[in-house]
Amino acid sequence: MKKLALIFIFTLSAGVVFGQFTLGPKVGFNTSKLTTDIDEISSDLTNNFQFGAFVRFGTKFYLQPEVNWVTAGGTFKKPADANAKAIDQEVKLETIEIPVIVGWRLLNLGVGNVRVLAGPSASIVTDKTVSTTSGESFINPITSADIDDLIWGFNIGAGADILMFTIDVRYQMGLNEVITKVENFDFNSKNNMFAVSVGWKIL
C-alpha cells in the first residue's frame, strides 16, 4: 500500500507540472497468459475485457494515470504420465488496475496524432477463481490461496488520437510472481498481457 500511495503522490505532483489535461472513459480487450517455469506444464492465453477511466496531463509529453477494471488469467495443462496424473486448470482474475503511463507524441497530423508510451501498473486482485477438470485421472494442485493479491506490471506500447477518440495498444510484462509456490514445488508464474483499448476524451 505504501507503493500505491507513492504512485498517487507522484501522479498529483506531475499533473501540476504537465498542466493541460483531458479525461474520459475507456474500454478494451486483452489476452493474458500466466507463465510457469515448469516445463511439463503448458500455459495458454485467455481472452478478457476491461473498462475504466483516464486522465491525461500534457500534450507533446504527457502523463496518463488510469483506473481500470480488468479481467485476466490463464490456463495450465499437463498430460498424465507414468509418474503423475493430468492437470487441467483455468485461473480467472478480476482486478482493479492502476497504471501510470508516460507518453510522447511522435507525429501531429492535425485531426490526430501518433504516440509511444510506457509506464508501471499495480493491479489489486478483487476476485480469483480456479476452475478444474475433475475425475480420477486429474489432480488440481492450484488453489485460490496460492494467488497473490497484488500484481505489478510494466507497460510499453503505442497509441493514436483521432478527433475526440484515443486508441492504445499495450504489452504488459509481469514484474512479480502471481503464483509462487504450489504444494511442494516452485511455480514461479507471472502475468503477461496484450491489450487494445479505445477511450473517449469528454474534456
Side-chain angles (χ1 to χ4, degrees):
M1 295 306 292
K2 289 182 179 179
K3 292 181 180 179
L4 292 177
L6 289 175
I7 290 175
F8 181 72
I9 293 170
F10 168 76
T11 301
L12 290 180
S13 301
V16 175
V17 174
F18 280 78
Q20 183 177 347
F21 75 96
T22 184
L23 59 86
K26 58 179 297 188
V27 63
F29 165 83
N30 73 71
T31 59
S32 66
K33 183 177 182 179
L34 292 170
T35 63
T36 179
D37 289 342
I38 302 175
D39 295 334
E40 294 79 11
I41 300 178
S42 63
S43 177
D44 293 329
L45 295 166
T46 60
N47 298 322
N48 310 282
F49 65 95
Q50 59 191 64
F51 64 87
F54 69 94
V55 179
R56 183 183 298 173
F57 300 95
T59 51
K60 185 174 180 61
F61 294 96
Y62 68 89
L63 178 78
Q64 182 170 307
E66 302 175 1
V67 177
N68 302 312
W69 186 82
V70 180
T71 59
T75 63
F76 298 103
K77 295 185 179 182
K78 174 189 171 300
D81 55 38
N83 298 317
K85 296 181 179 180
I87 296 174
D88 189 353
Q89 295 187 283
E90 180 178 3
V91 177
K92 296 181 179 180
L93 305 175
E94 295 180 6
T95 70
I96 296 174
E97 181 199 37
I98 307 172
V100 179
I101 301 299
V102 176
W104 178 41
R105 187 179 66 193
L106 289 176
L107 298 172
N108 187 0
L109 305 176
V111 296
N113 63 68
V114 178
R115 303 171 279 105
V116 292
L117 56 91
S121 63
S123 297
I124 303 168
V125 179
T126 59
D127 188 62
K128 42 192 174 182
T129 305
V130 181
S131 303
T132 63
T133 299
S134 59
E136 291 185 359
S137 58
F138 289 92
I139 57 173
N140 303 308
I142 304 170
T143 68
S144 59
D146 298 318
I147 303 170
D148 201 349
D149 292 325
L150 182 61
I151 303 172
W152 291 95
F154 190 83
N155 301 271
I156 56 173
D161 295 324
I162 303 172
L163 298 176
M164 74 287 294
F165 298 104
T166 177
I167 302 169
D168 281 359
V169 178
R170 302 178 188 175
Y171 174 74
Q172 184 182 112
M173 176 179 60
L175 298 180
N176 70 313
E177 294 175 354
V178 181
I179 305 173
T180 303
K181 285 185 175 291
V182 174
E183 295 182 347
N184 296 322
F185 53 90
D186 295 328
F187 211 75
N188 300 330
S189 177
K190 294 183 178 180
N191 181 59
N192 297 321
M193 184 166 60
F194 176 81
V196 178
S197 64
V198 177
W200 177 32
K201 295 184 284 186
I202 60 176
L203 181 63

